[in-house]
Amino acid sequence: MIEIDDPADPRLDDFRDLSTADRRPDRPGGRGLVIAEGVVVVERLLASPYPVRALLGVRRRVEALGDLPAPAYVTSAEVMAEVVGFHLNRGVLAAADRAPRPDLADLAATATRLAVLEGVGDHENLGSLFRNAAALGVDGVVLGPGCSDPLYRRSVRVSMGHVLRVPFTHAPDLAAGLNTLRDNGFAVAALTPRADAVSLADAGLRGRRVAVMLGSEGPGLTDEAIAAADVAVRIPMADGVDSLNVATAGAIAFYAIA
Amino acid sequence: MIEIDDPADPRLDDFRDLSTADRRPDRPGGRGLVIAEGVVVVERLLASPYPVRALLGVRRRVEALGDLPAPAYVTSAEVMAEVVGFHLNRGVLAAADRAPRPDLADLAATATRLAVLEGVGDHENLGSLFRNAAALGVDGVVLGPGCSDPLYRRSVRVSMGHVLRVPFTHAPDLAAGLNTLRDNGFAVAALTPRADAVSLADAGLRGRRVAVMLGSEGPGLTDEAIAAADVAVRIPMADGVDSLNVATAGAIAFYAIA
C-alpha cells in the first residue's frame, strides 16, 4: 500500500478521467484497460485471468481486499474524485490489462450452454446478460456482429464483475461461428417473439448442449441469424406486450434450458 | 390541438419542472400526477383508467396519437425543454390524475397469478417488474410494506407504460394481505435464494393460482414474509453468484408458473 496525496501523481494515470477515457476503451484513443469498481467487483477482477496493474482506494476499502498482486495506491475520497473526474461512492478501483480471448472452438469444446449475441450494443444490457449468464449456469458468451465491448466500464459494473468470470469470444462471421458450435454438438436456438417460433418449453432443449441466440432489444435477431439457427424459440407473451428486455429474455431462456 | 409558444403559459403547469415535481409525486408537496412520456407510453395511458388531463408535444408526435380525450398543447422541442426543465427526446407527454386502487379482495377474486412485493424501493426495478408481469401474464401486483410508488415518472417510463395496464393495490399489513389471497385460493410462494427453499420447477406451482412474493434486491424478503408464505422457492443458481436482479428473478418466476 502506497500513500499518495497528489492527484497529479503519474502513478495514478490508469485511473485518470475515467468517464472520458472509457468512452472508447478499445480504440486507439482509449487505453483499453479493464476497470473494476467497488469491493465485490474488484475481488472478481483479482480472481480473473486479467493481469491487475494497480489499485486505487481509500484505506478502509483497500484493506478489505487482503493480499494484492499489484501496487495499491491509498488516498482520500477527494483525491480519488479529482483523479477519476467524478465522485465514486464505492471507494476502490482496480485497473487491469486485457487478456487474450479463448478461441471459439475451444470454448465450444468445453461448454455445455452458451449465449450467442447479435447486435447487443447497449452496455447495460450486455452487462446484465453476463450477470444472468453467470447466475444461471451459462458457460460462455459468443459475441456476434454489432455487439459492444463487454469490458467497457459500465458493462463491468452492471454485470457485477461477472464479465470477468464468464469466458467470451467473438464470432464476426455469425454463420461460421454457429457451424463451429454445431460441430461441437450444440443445438442453436434463436430467441424471437415471432408467432411461428416454438414455445421455449416445447423445444426439447433442456439437458442438451444448447446455444441460445439473442438479438438487440429493438429489432431483435436479423432474419439471417434466425435462418442460421436450428430452431426458433419464443417466450409465450401476453397480448399487447411487444417484448421483454433482452437481458430478461436471456435469463428466462437460460433458466429454461438449465 | 392548441398551439402554445410561451413556456410560462399556465396551461402547461402540469408539465412544469418535472424532475423536481416528480421527486415526491404522492406527497403534499408534489402533485401526484401520472406522467407518460413518448408515443408508446402515452398510448398506454390513453387506454388506461387514469383520467387524462392534458398532453404536450411537438406536432408530429401529437398527430401520431389520433383522437384525444383532453387538450393537446403543441409547441416546439425548445419550449417543451424549457417547461419540463430538461431535454426530452420523446417529443410528447401526457398528464393524468390518479385513479382509485382496486381492493385487494377484488383483485384476488379475479386474478389467476399475482406478484406480491416487499421492500421494492428502486423505481427502475419496480417499473421493470411491471413490464415483466405484463409480458408474462401476471394479472396484478400487490405492494407490501416498503415499496415505492409505481406511478413515479421513472417507473412509468421503465415499465414502458405497463404500470398503467397491470392493476395494483397496497397491502400495508402483509400477513393479512396474504390471508386474503389464500381465502381466494392462492398459493403464496416466497422467492428467496435460501438453500433450503424448494427449486422453482419442483414446487408444483404451474397451472395453480399462485402469488409470487419478491423482496428487495439487497436483503431480499424478510424472515417474516418468508414464514408467512406457503412455500419458499428458489431459482437454482451457479456457485459464486449472490443473486439476480429482483425484476429478473421475478420474470423467471412468472415464466415458471405460467
Side-chain angles (χ1 to χ4, degrees):
Chain A
M1 279 204 263
I2 301 154
E3 297 243 17
I4 293 188
D5 293 330
D6 176 10
D9 192 307
R11 290 173 292 180
L12 305 185
D13 282 355
D14 279 359
F15 305 101
R16 200 169 303 286
D17 298 330
L18 280 187
S19 61
T20 307
D22 188 48
R23 240 165 248 155
R24 322 185 146 262
D26 52 357
R27 303 292 178 83
R31 285 174 300 176
L33 296 180
V34 182
I35 302 288
E37 300 163 71
V39 169
V40 169
V41 179
V42 168
E43 283 174 341
R44 291 197 172 124
L45 179 64
L46 293 169
S48 79
Y50 298 94
V52 177
R53 296 162 54 97
L55 295 99
L56 170 64
V58 298
R59 177 169 295 276
R60 189 166 60 91
R61 297 293 184 202
V62 173
E63 282 176 349
L65 293 167
D67 285 344
L68 295 174
Y73 303 114
V74 171
T75 190
S76 66
E78 292 70 31
V79 170
M80 276 186 80
E82 197 165 334
V83 173
V84 305
F86 52 89
H87 182 72
L88 272 162
N89 52 17
R90 289 186 176 78
V92 65
L93 291 164
D97 284 311
R98 291 179 174 235
R101 306 258 56 87
D103 277 348
L104 179 58
D106 292 341
L107 188 59
T110 53
T112 304
R113 285 181 291 270
L114 292 169
V116 179
L117 310 182
E118 183 197 36
V120 178
D122 180 277
H123 291 106
E124 292 202 20
N125 284 341
L126 196 57
S128 298
L129 274 165
F130 272 85
R131 179 181 177 188
N132 296 345
L136 297 163
V138 170
D139 307 304
V141 175
V142 180
L143 301 167
C147 294
S148 50
D149 176 12
L151 297 178
Y152 185 90
R153 189 168 57 88
R154 190 183 193 80
S155 294
V156 174
R157 187 174 67 233
V158 171
S159 82
M160 300 187 71
H162 290 298
V163 295
L164 308 170
R165 295 177 74 224
V166 178
F168 66 88
T169 195
H170 295 271
D173 180 340
L174 187 61
L178 298 185
N179 282 335
T180 301
L181 299 184
R182 267 188 286 263
D183 290 346
N184 284 274
F186 277 85
V188 178
L191 196 66
T192 167
R194 284 189 189 178
D196 62 350
V198 182
S199 172
L200 186 55
D202 300 333
L205 298 174
R206 195 177 280 264
R208 293 174 64 188
R209 298 183 88 184
V210 177
V212 175
M213 188 158 53
L214 298 151
S216 68
E217 181 154 16
L221 287 169
T222 59
D223 291 343
E224 294 71 29
I226 295 174
D230 298 309
V231 60
V233 296
R234 66 181 169 79
I235 297 168
M237 265 191 273
D239 290 341
V241 182
D242 358 45
S243 73
L244 289 160
N245 171 280
V246 63
T248 306
I252 291 172
F254 303 156
Y255 169 80
I257 65 169
Chain B
M1 280 203 261
I2 300 154
E3 296 243 17
I4 294 188
D5 293 328
D6 176 9
D9 192 308
R11 290 173 291 179
L12 304 184
D13 282 356
D14 278 0
F15 304 102
R16 201 169 301 288
D17 299 330
L18 279 187
S19 61
T20 308
D22 189 49
R23 240 165 247 153
R24 326 184 144 260
D26 52 356
R27 304 292 179 82
R31 286 174 298 176
L33 295 182
V34 181
I35 302 288
E37 300 164 70
V39 169
V40 170
V41 179
V42 168
E43 283 175 340
R44 291 197 172 123
L45 179 63
L46 293 170
S48 80
Y50 298 95
V52 176
R53 296 161 53 96
L55 295 98
L56 169 65
V58 298
R59 178 169 294 276
R60 189 167 61 91
R61 298 293 185 202
V62 173
E63 282 177 348
L65 293 167
D67 284 346
L68 296 173
Y73 303 113
V74 171
T75 189
S76 66
E78 292 68 33
V79 170
M80 275 187 81
E82 196 166 334
V83 173
V84 305
F86 51 89
H87 181 73
L88 272 161
N89 52 16
R90 289 185 177 78
V92 65
L93 292 164
D97 283 312
R98 292 181 174 235
R101 304 259 56 88
D103 276 350
L104 179 59
D106 293 339
L107 188 59
T110 54
T112 305
R113 287 180 291 271
L114 292 169
V116 180
L117 310 182
E118 183 197 38
V120 177
D122 180 276
H123 290 106
E124 293 203 19
N125 284 340
L126 196 56
S128 297
L129 274 164
F130 273 84
R131 179 182 177 188
N132 297 344
L136 297 162
V138 170
D139 308 303
V141 176
V142 180
L143 301 167
C147 294
S148 50
D149 176 12
L151 297 178
Y152 185 90
R153 190 168 56 87
R154 189 182 193 79
S155 294
V156 174
R157 187 175 64 231
V158 171
S159 82
M160 300 187 69
H162 291 297
V163 295
L164 308 171
R165 294 177 75 224
V166 178
F168 65 88
T169 193
H170 295 271
D173 180 340
L174 188 61
L178 298 185
N179 283 335
T180 301
L181 299 184
R182 267 188 287 263
D183 289 346
N184 284 275
F186 277 85
V188 178
L191 196 66
T192 166
R194 284 190 190 177
D196 61 351
V198 182
S199 173
L200 186 56
D202 300 334
L205 299 173
R206 195 177 278 264
R208 293 175 62 189
R209 298 185 88 184
V210 176
V212 175
M213 188 159 52
L214 298 150
S216 69
E217 180 155 17
L221 287 168
T222 59
D223 291 344
E224 294 71 28
I226 295 173
D230 299 308
V231 60
V233 295
R234 66 180 168 79
I235 296 168
M237 265 191 273
D239 290 342
V241 183
D242 356 47
S243 71
L244 289 161
N245 170 280
V246 63
T248 306
I252 291 173
F254 303 156
Y255 170 80
I257 64 170

